Amino acid sequence: MAQYRIATIEGDGIGPEVTRAAMAVLTEACGAGALAFEMLEGGAGHYTKSGEVLPDDTFAGCRDADAILHGAAGLPGVVYPDGTEVGNDLHLRLRFRLDLYANVRPIKLLPGVLSPLRAFEGGGIDYVIVRENTEGLYASRGAGVVLRDEIASDSLVVTRKGTERVARFAFDLAAGRNGAPRDGQRRVTVCDKANILRSYAFFRRICDEVHAGYPDIAIDYAYADAITVHMLKRPDSYDVIVAENMFGDIISDLGAATVGGMGISPSGEIGDGHALFQGAHGSAPDIAGQNAASPIATILSGVMMLRWLGRRKVDAALVSAADRIEAAVGKVLAEGRAVPRDLGGAATCTEVTDAVRRALV
Ligand code: IPM
Ligand code: MN
Protein backbone atom coordinates (compact mmCIF):
# COMPACT_ATOMS: atom_id res chain seq x y z
CA MET A 1 0.00 0.00 0.00
CA ALA A 2 1.39 3.40 -0.94
CA GLN A 3 1.60 6.12 1.65
CA TYR A 4 -1.13 8.76 1.74
CA ARG A 5 -1.11 12.20 3.33
CA ILE A 6 -4.18 12.76 5.47
CA ALA A 7 -4.67 16.39 6.53
CA THR A 8 -6.11 16.01 10.04
CA ILE A 9 -7.92 18.76 11.91
CA GLU A 10 -8.99 17.61 15.38
CA GLY A 11 -10.89 20.87 16.04
CA ASP A 12 -12.95 21.60 19.12
CA GLY A 13 -14.84 19.80 21.89
CA ILE A 14 -14.85 16.03 21.34
CA GLY A 15 -13.03 16.53 18.03
CA PRO A 16 -9.59 15.50 19.37
CA GLU A 17 -10.94 12.35 21.08
CA VAL A 18 -12.90 11.01 18.13
CA THR A 19 -10.18 11.95 15.64
CA ARG A 20 -7.52 10.04 17.58
CA ALA A 21 -9.87 7.09 17.87
CA ALA A 22 -10.37 7.00 14.13
CA MET A 23 -6.64 7.41 13.51
CA ALA A 24 -5.90 4.41 15.73
CA VAL A 25 -8.40 2.20 13.88
CA LEU A 26 -7.32 3.41 10.44
CA THR A 27 -3.65 2.79 11.27
CA GLU A 28 -4.43 -0.68 12.62
CA ALA A 29 -6.36 -1.61 9.49
CA CYS A 30 -4.03 -0.05 6.92
CA GLY A 31 -0.76 -0.89 8.64
CA ALA A 32 1.77 1.46 10.14
CA GLY A 33 3.14 3.94 7.64
CA ALA A 34 0.31 3.68 5.11
CA LEU A 35 -1.42 6.85 6.30
CA ALA A 36 0.62 9.89 7.27
CA PHE A 37 -1.64 12.07 9.42
CA GLU A 38 -0.60 15.70 9.19
CA MET A 39 -2.04 17.37 12.32
CA LEU A 40 -3.31 20.87 11.48
CA GLU A 41 -4.73 23.67 13.59
CA GLY A 42 -8.18 25.21 13.14
CA GLY A 43 -11.56 25.86 14.69
CA ALA A 44 -13.14 28.02 17.35
CA GLY A 45 -10.55 27.30 20.04
CA HIS A 46 -7.73 28.24 17.69
CA TYR A 47 -9.63 31.38 16.70
CA THR A 48 -9.89 32.52 20.33
CA LYS A 49 -6.10 32.19 20.63
CA SER A 50 -5.01 33.43 17.21
CA GLY A 51 -7.91 35.26 15.58
CA GLU A 52 -7.79 32.72 12.73
CA VAL A 53 -10.37 29.93 12.31
CA LEU A 54 -8.58 28.45 9.26
CA PRO A 55 -4.87 29.40 9.19
CA ASP A 56 -3.22 29.64 5.75
CA ASP A 57 -0.92 26.69 6.43
CA THR A 58 -3.90 24.57 7.45
CA PHE A 59 -5.72 25.42 4.24
CA ALA A 60 -2.55 24.68 2.23
CA GLY A 61 -2.16 21.36 4.06
CA CYS A 62 -5.74 20.39 3.23
CA ARG A 63 -5.41 21.54 -0.37
CA ASP A 64 -2.23 19.48 -0.92
CA ALA A 65 -3.21 16.32 1.00
CA ASP A 66 -4.72 13.13 -0.40
CA ALA A 67 -7.76 13.49 1.90
CA ILE A 68 -8.95 15.47 4.92
CA LEU A 69 -10.07 13.98 8.23
CA HIS A 70 -11.87 16.34 10.59
CA GLY A 71 -13.09 15.82 14.15
CA ALA A 72 -15.54 18.61 14.92
CA ALA A 73 -15.53 22.38 15.20
CA GLY A 74 -17.49 24.97 17.12
CA LEU A 75 -17.70 26.25 20.68
CA PRO A 76 -20.73 27.97 22.22
CA GLY A 77 -20.35 31.71 22.44
CA VAL A 78 -17.50 31.92 19.94
CA VAL A 79 -19.33 33.91 17.26
CA TYR A 80 -18.54 36.62 14.74
CA PRO A 81 -19.95 40.15 15.23
CA ASP A 82 -22.78 39.24 12.81
CA GLY A 83 -23.87 36.44 15.14
CA THR A 84 -22.80 33.49 13.00
CA GLU A 85 -20.66 30.78 14.56
CA VAL A 86 -16.88 30.89 14.13
CA GLY A 87 -16.28 27.13 14.43
CA ASN A 88 -18.59 26.23 11.59
CA ASP A 89 -16.72 28.69 9.41
CA LEU A 90 -13.65 26.42 9.41
CA HIS A 91 -15.73 23.77 7.77
CA LEU A 92 -17.58 26.09 5.43
CA ARG A 93 -14.39 27.80 4.20
CA LEU A 94 -12.86 24.42 3.32
CA ARG A 95 -16.12 23.34 1.70
CA PHE A 96 -16.38 26.39 -0.55
CA ARG A 97 -12.67 26.95 -1.27
CA LEU A 98 -12.03 23.29 -2.16
CA ASP A 99 -15.40 23.06 -3.97
CA LEU A 100 -16.63 20.00 -2.05
CA TYR A 101 -19.94 19.98 -3.91
CA ALA A 102 -21.40 16.64 -2.83
CA ASN A 103 -22.16 16.19 0.87
CA VAL A 104 -22.71 12.44 1.20
CA ARG A 105 -24.64 11.17 4.21
CA PRO A 106 -25.23 7.41 4.34
CA ILE A 107 -28.40 6.55 6.28
CA LYS A 108 -27.99 2.89 7.17
CA LEU A 109 -29.47 0.94 10.08
CA LEU A 110 -26.74 -1.38 11.34
CA PRO A 111 -27.47 -4.72 13.06
CA GLY A 112 -27.63 -4.25 16.81
CA VAL A 113 -28.68 -0.61 16.54
CA LEU A 114 -32.26 0.21 17.58
CA SER A 115 -34.19 2.52 15.28
CA PRO A 116 -36.94 4.68 16.79
CA LEU A 117 -39.00 3.49 13.82
CA ARG A 118 -40.93 0.32 14.60
CA ALA A 119 -40.61 -2.74 12.32
CA PHE A 120 -37.14 -1.88 11.11
CA GLU A 121 -34.30 -4.18 12.06
CA GLY A 122 -30.67 -3.76 10.95
CA GLY A 123 -30.62 -3.63 7.17
CA GLY A 124 -34.17 -2.36 6.55
CA ILE A 125 -33.04 1.21 6.11
CA ASP A 126 -30.20 1.80 3.68
CA TYR A 127 -30.11 4.95 1.56
CA VAL A 128 -27.77 7.87 0.93
CA ILE A 129 -28.57 11.57 1.00
CA VAL A 130 -26.51 13.58 -1.50
CA ARG A 131 -26.74 17.21 -0.55
CA GLU A 132 -25.57 19.94 -2.88
CA ASN A 133 -22.86 21.52 -0.75
CA THR A 134 -21.64 24.75 -2.35
CA GLU A 135 -24.65 26.91 -3.20
CA GLY A 136 -28.39 26.91 -2.45
CA LEU A 137 -29.25 28.97 0.58
CA TYR A 138 -25.67 28.57 1.85
CA ALA A 139 -24.41 30.67 -1.08
CA SER A 140 -25.52 33.61 1.01
CA ARG A 141 -23.39 32.78 4.06
CA GLY A 142 -21.45 35.90 4.98
CA ALA A 143 -23.35 37.86 2.32
CA GLY A 144 -26.84 38.19 3.74
CA VAL A 145 -28.42 41.64 4.02
CA VAL A 146 -29.33 43.20 7.36
CA LEU A 147 -30.85 46.68 7.07
CA ARG A 148 -31.53 49.22 9.82
CA ASP A 149 -32.01 46.40 12.31
CA GLU A 150 -35.45 45.79 10.80
CA ILE A 151 -34.99 43.56 7.76
CA ALA A 152 -32.62 40.70 6.95
CA SER A 153 -32.49 38.51 3.86
CA ASP A 154 -30.43 35.66 2.37
CA SER A 155 -30.79 34.56 -1.27
CA LEU A 156 -31.26 31.02 -2.54
CA VAL A 157 -28.87 30.39 -5.45
CA VAL A 158 -29.34 27.41 -7.81
CA THR A 159 -26.98 27.13 -10.79
CA ARG A 160 -27.05 24.77 -13.75
CA LYS A 161 -23.43 23.69 -13.12
CA GLY A 162 -24.00 23.13 -9.41
CA THR A 163 -27.14 21.08 -10.01
CA GLU A 164 -25.80 19.07 -12.93
CA ARG A 165 -22.73 17.90 -11.05
CA VAL A 166 -24.52 16.96 -7.83
CA ALA A 167 -27.27 15.18 -9.78
CA ARG A 168 -24.65 13.28 -11.80
CA PHE A 169 -22.94 12.33 -8.53
CA ALA A 170 -26.25 11.00 -7.19
CA PHE A 171 -27.05 8.96 -10.30
CA ASP A 172 -23.51 7.55 -10.45
CA LEU A 173 -23.85 6.58 -6.78
CA ALA A 174 -27.19 4.86 -7.43
CA ALA A 175 -25.65 3.01 -10.38
CA GLY A 176 -23.19 1.36 -7.97
CA ARG A 177 -25.74 0.41 -5.32
CA ASN A 178 -28.30 -2.42 -5.10
CA GLY A 179 -31.39 -0.22 -5.06
CA ALA A 180 -33.85 0.50 -2.27
CA PRO A 181 -34.38 -2.27 0.35
CA ARG A 182 -38.13 -2.28 -0.33
CA ASP A 183 -38.01 -3.15 -4.02
CA GLY A 184 -34.37 -3.35 -5.12
CA GLN A 185 -35.00 -0.54 -7.61
CA ARG A 186 -32.04 1.78 -8.28
CA ARG A 187 -33.65 5.16 -7.76
CA VAL A 188 -32.78 8.82 -7.26
CA THR A 189 -35.40 10.84 -5.39
CA VAL A 190 -35.26 14.59 -6.01
CA CYS A 191 -36.15 16.50 -2.87
CA ASP A 192 -37.34 20.06 -3.59
CA LYS A 193 -40.25 22.51 -3.42
CA ALA A 194 -40.75 22.78 -7.17
CA ASN A 195 -44.47 23.26 -6.58
CA ILE A 196 -43.80 26.65 -4.99
CA LEU A 197 -40.45 28.17 -6.03
CA ARG A 198 -38.95 28.57 -9.49
CA SER A 199 -35.42 27.92 -8.17
CA TYR A 200 -36.52 24.45 -7.05
CA ALA A 201 -38.45 23.88 -10.28
CA PHE A 202 -35.17 24.72 -12.05
CA PHE A 203 -33.29 22.28 -9.76
CA ARG A 204 -35.79 19.56 -10.62
CA ARG A 205 -35.64 20.29 -14.35
CA ILE A 206 -31.82 19.97 -14.36
CA CYS A 207 -32.07 16.68 -12.44
CA ASP A 208 -34.50 15.45 -15.10
CA GLU A 209 -32.04 16.43 -17.84
CA VAL A 210 -29.23 14.52 -16.08
CA HIS A 211 -31.54 11.52 -15.56
CA ALA A 212 -31.92 11.19 -19.34
CA GLY A 213 -28.38 9.77 -19.35
CA TYR A 214 -29.26 7.05 -16.81
CA PRO A 215 -32.12 5.03 -18.37
CA ASP A 216 -31.66 2.11 -15.95
CA ILE A 217 -32.15 4.25 -12.87
CA ALA A 218 -35.59 5.44 -11.80
CA ILE A 219 -36.24 9.01 -10.78
CA ASP A 220 -38.97 10.25 -8.50
CA TYR A 221 -39.70 13.41 -6.55
CA ALA A 222 -40.62 14.37 -3.02
CA TYR A 223 -41.35 17.83 -1.67
CA ALA A 224 -39.13 18.75 1.30
CA ASP A 225 -42.07 18.69 3.71
CA ALA A 226 -43.56 15.46 2.43
CA ILE A 227 -40.22 13.63 2.43
CA THR A 228 -39.95 14.06 6.21
CA VAL A 229 -43.10 11.91 6.50
CA HIS A 230 -41.91 9.31 4.00
CA MET A 231 -38.49 9.08 5.74
CA LEU A 232 -40.35 7.95 8.84
CA LYS A 233 -43.20 5.94 7.27
CA ARG A 234 -41.37 4.20 4.41
CA PRO A 235 -37.61 4.77 4.68
CA ASP A 236 -36.96 1.44 2.95
CA SER A 237 -38.27 2.90 -0.31
CA TYR A 238 -35.29 5.23 -0.62
CA ASP A 239 -32.03 4.47 -2.42
CA VAL A 240 -30.42 7.87 -3.13
CA ILE A 241 -31.93 11.28 -2.34
CA VAL A 242 -30.54 14.45 -3.96
CA ALA A 243 -31.35 17.84 -2.45
CA GLU A 244 -30.40 21.49 -2.44
CA ASN A 245 -28.01 22.56 0.34
CA MET A 246 -30.39 23.73 3.07
CA PHE A 247 -32.99 21.01 2.51
CA GLY A 248 -30.17 18.47 2.45
CA ASP A 249 -28.82 19.77 5.74
CA ILE A 250 -32.19 19.36 7.40
CA ILE A 251 -33.22 15.94 6.10
CA SER A 252 -29.71 14.54 6.71
CA ASP A 253 -30.13 14.90 10.46
CA LEU A 254 -33.67 13.52 10.34
CA GLY A 255 -32.32 10.52 8.46
CA ALA A 256 -29.51 10.08 10.97
CA ALA A 257 -32.01 10.07 13.83
CA THR A 258 -33.84 7.11 12.25
CA VAL A 259 -30.70 4.93 12.28
CA GLY A 260 -29.22 5.64 15.69
CA GLY A 261 -28.43 9.35 15.75
CA MET A 262 -25.59 11.71 14.96
CA GLY A 263 -23.06 9.71 16.97
CA ILE A 264 -23.20 6.88 14.44
CA SER A 265 -23.59 8.94 11.26
CA PRO A 266 -20.60 9.49 8.99
CA SER A 267 -20.25 12.09 6.27
CA GLY A 268 -18.06 12.65 3.25
CA GLU A 269 -17.88 16.02 1.50
CA ILE A 270 -16.56 15.30 -1.95
CA GLY A 271 -15.41 17.43 -4.88
CA ASP A 272 -13.53 16.60 -8.05
CA GLY A 273 -10.11 17.07 -6.48
CA HIS A 274 -10.55 16.98 -2.72
CA ALA A 275 -12.68 15.38 0.00
CA LEU A 276 -13.28 15.97 3.71
CA PHE A 277 -14.57 13.26 6.04
CA GLN A 278 -16.02 13.76 9.49
CA GLY A 279 -18.68 12.44 11.82
CA ALA A 280 -21.96 14.25 11.28
CA HIS A 281 -22.23 15.20 14.95
CA GLY A 282 -21.01 18.50 16.35
CA SER A 283 -18.28 19.27 18.86
CA ALA A 284 -20.42 18.30 21.89
CA PRO A 285 -18.47 20.55 24.30
CA ASP A 286 -20.60 19.35 27.22
CA ILE A 287 -18.91 15.93 27.14
CA ALA A 288 -15.51 17.01 25.81
CA GLY A 289 -12.49 15.55 27.57
CA GLN A 290 -14.52 12.90 29.44
CA ASN A 291 -13.74 9.95 27.13
CA ALA A 292 -17.54 9.69 26.79
CA ALA A 293 -18.04 10.46 23.09
CA SER A 294 -18.79 7.75 20.56
CA PRO A 295 -16.00 7.42 17.97
CA ILE A 296 -18.21 5.43 15.59
CA ALA A 297 -19.30 8.29 13.32
CA THR A 298 -15.68 9.37 12.78
CA ILE A 299 -14.47 5.78 12.34
CA LEU A 300 -17.18 5.17 9.70
CA SER A 301 -16.21 8.50 8.08
CA GLY A 302 -12.70 7.02 7.88
CA VAL A 303 -14.24 4.04 6.07
CA MET A 304 -15.79 6.45 3.57
CA MET A 305 -12.37 8.14 3.22
CA LEU A 306 -10.53 4.87 2.50
CA ARG A 307 -13.15 3.87 -0.07
CA TRP A 308 -12.99 7.25 -1.82
CA LEU A 309 -9.19 7.24 -1.79
CA GLY A 310 -9.06 3.58 -2.86
CA ARG A 311 -11.20 4.30 -5.92
CA ARG A 312 -9.31 7.48 -6.74
CA LYS A 313 -5.84 5.90 -6.43
CA VAL A 314 -6.94 2.45 -7.67
CA ASP A 315 -5.60 0.94 -4.46
CA ALA A 316 -7.53 -2.23 -3.56
CA ALA A 317 -5.73 -2.47 -0.21
CA LEU A 318 -7.44 0.73 0.95
CA VAL A 319 -10.86 -0.59 -0.05
CA SER A 320 -10.14 -3.88 1.69
CA ALA A 321 -9.13 -2.02 4.87
CA ALA A 322 -12.38 -0.04 4.66
CA ASP A 323 -14.41 -3.24 4.38
CA ARG A 324 -12.59 -4.74 7.37
CA ILE A 325 -13.21 -1.69 9.54
CA GLU A 326 -16.89 -1.55 8.58
CA ALA A 327 -17.26 -5.25 9.39
CA ALA A 328 -15.50 -4.75 12.73
CA VAL A 329 -17.81 -1.87 13.68
CA GLY A 330 -20.81 -3.99 12.66
CA LYS A 331 -19.58 -6.88 14.79
CA VAL A 332 -18.96 -4.70 17.85
CA LEU A 333 -22.46 -3.24 17.61
CA ALA A 334 -24.29 -6.44 16.63
CA GLU A 335 -22.69 -8.40 19.49
CA GLY A 336 -22.88 -5.51 21.92
CA ARG A 337 -19.19 -5.82 22.68
CA ALA A 338 -18.84 -2.12 23.48
CA VAL A 339 -21.96 0.01 23.18
CA PRO A 340 -21.44 3.78 23.40
CA ARG A 341 -23.66 5.95 25.55
CA ASP A 342 -25.61 7.49 22.68
CA LEU A 343 -26.72 3.97 21.70
CA GLY A 344 -27.79 3.06 25.22
CA GLY A 345 -24.54 1.57 26.51
CA ALA A 346 -21.83 2.79 28.87
CA ALA A 347 -18.67 2.14 26.88
CA THR A 348 -16.09 4.89 26.79
CA CYS A 349 -14.58 6.28 23.61
CA THR A 350 -11.44 4.26 24.33
CA GLU A 351 -13.39 1.04 25.00
CA VAL A 352 -15.33 1.33 21.74
CA THR A 353 -12.15 2.09 19.83
CA ASP A 354 -10.25 -0.84 21.32
CA ALA A 355 -13.20 -3.18 20.69
CA VAL A 356 -13.24 -2.18 17.01
CA ARG A 357 -9.49 -2.68 16.74
CA ARG A 358 -9.78 -6.15 18.31
CA ALA A 359 -12.63 -7.06 15.98
CA LEU A 360 -10.54 -6.35 12.87
CA VAL A 361 -9.81 -9.56 10.98
C1 IPM B 1 -23.48 19.83 8.53
C2 IPM B 1 -23.40 20.89 9.59
C3 IPM B 1 -22.76 22.11 8.93
C4 IPM B 1 -23.80 22.73 8.01
C5 IPM B 1 -22.22 23.12 9.89
C6 IPM B 1 -21.25 22.44 10.86
C7 IPM B 1 -21.50 24.20 9.13
O1 IPM B 1 -24.67 21.15 10.11
O2 IPM B 1 -22.43 19.55 7.94
O3 IPM B 1 -24.58 19.27 8.32
O4 IPM B 1 -24.59 23.58 8.45
O5 IPM B 1 -23.79 22.33 6.85
MN1 MN C 1 -26.19 19.85 9.44
Side-chain angles (χ1 to χ4, degrees):
M1 186 185 294
Q3 186 179 73
Y4 299 99
R5 273 177 64 187
I6 309 298
T8 306
I9 309 174
E10 294 181 329
D12 305 308
I14 62 169
E17 299 161 76
V18 295
T19 305
R20 290 179 201 141
M23 289 166 64
V25 171
L26 288 163
T27 301
E28 184 98 23
C30 296
L35 304 176
F37 296 96
E38 184 185 3
M39 308 310 286
L40 299 168
E41 291 287 354
H46 188 74
Y47 175 85
T48 56
K49 289 180 291 191
S50 69
E52 290 184 309
V53 68
L54 174 63
D56 291 343
D57 56 355
T58 295
F59 175 73
C62 291
R63 181 199 57 215
D64 300 340
D66 292 304
I68 304 162
L69 180 65
H70 177 40
L75 291 174
V78 183
V79 295
Y80 288 127
D82 68 3
T84 57
E85 273 212 32
V86 170
N88 289 351
D89 201 25
L90 162 74
H91 196 136
L92 288 164
R93 288 182 186 208
L94 286 170
R95 190 180 277 183
F96 281 80
R97 290 173 65 181
L98 295 176
D99 207 21
L100 308 179
Y101 62 85
N103 192 325
V104 183
R105 289 282 288 275
I107 306 297
K108 185 174 184 179
L109 183 58
L110 298 177
V113 178
L114 280 181
S115 167
L117 304 180
R118 284 196 309 274
F120 286 99
E121 300 302 323
I125 302 173
D126 182 356
Y127 60 92
V128 182
I129 296 173
V130 179
R131 162 190 171 186
E132 198 296 318
N133 209 33
T134 61
E135 51 185 48
L137 199 47
Y138 277 60
S140 289
R141 63 175 266 283
V145 173
V146 179
L147 277 183
R148 296 184 304 280
D149 201 27
E150 63 178 323
I151 178 174
S153 78
D154 287 301
S155 302
L156 171 62
V157 175
V158 178
T159 69
R160 169 173 287 277
K161 174 186 174 184
T163 307
E164 279 177 347
R165 63 185 185 176
V166 76
R168 202 167 294 121
F169 187 103
F171 280 101
D172 287 340
L173 181 65
R177 287 171 50 84
N178 300 313
R182 175 176 283 209
D183 56 13
Q185 171 63 55
R186 289 189 174 88
R187 174 182 299 116
V188 171
T189 300
V190 181
C191 168
D192 60 40
K193 277 296 268 188
N195 53 335
I196 305 297
L197 294 178
R198 291 176 181 165
S199 45
Y200 288 119
F202 179 66
F203 181 89
R204 179 179 293 196
R205 179 156 59 83
I206 306 296
C207 290
D208 278 333
E209 288 177 16
V210 171
H211 173 235
Y214 296 84
D216 299 336
I217 299 177
I219 187 170
D220 66 6
Y221 314 91
Y223 297 133
D225 47 352
I227 206 169
T228 62
V229 176
H230 303 329
M231 285 167 70
L232 302 185
K233 305 281 279 186
R234 53 175 178 84
D236 56 338
S237 64
Y238 288 122
D239 180 19
V240 176
I241 299 172
V242 65
E244 170 271 335
N245 210 333
M246 180 55 82
F247 284 164
D249 179 51
I250 294 166
I251 66 172
S252 296
D253 285 10
L254 174 62
T258 65
V259 293
M262 307 305 283
I264 196 172
S265 293
S267 81
E269 303 189 38
I270 298 170
D272 290 334
H274 302 83
L276 179 151
F277 300 88
Q278 72 158 148
H281 50 68
S283 56
D286 57 317
I287 61 169
Q290 301 171 27
N291 198 16
S294 170
I296 291 179
T298 310
I299 291 170
L300 291 178
S301 301
V303 168
M304 292 179 75
M305 180 179 79
L306 294 182
R307 289 204 171 114
W308 176 79
L309 206 46
R311 279 195 302 274
R312 186 174 174 77
K313 302 289 187 181
V314 194
D315 186 336
L318 286 177
V319 177
S320 166
D323 294 344
R324 290 170 49 231
I325 295 172
E326 187 174 57
V329 169
K331 198 180 296 179
V332 166
L333 293 175
E335 297 169 12
R337 297 186 185 185
V339 181
R341 288 187 350 179
D342 64 313
L343 296 181
T348 64
C349 184
T350 305
E351 287 167 341
V352 175
T353 306
D354 291 346
V356 172
R357 292 174 66 185
R358 286 194 301 271
L360 283 168
V361 292

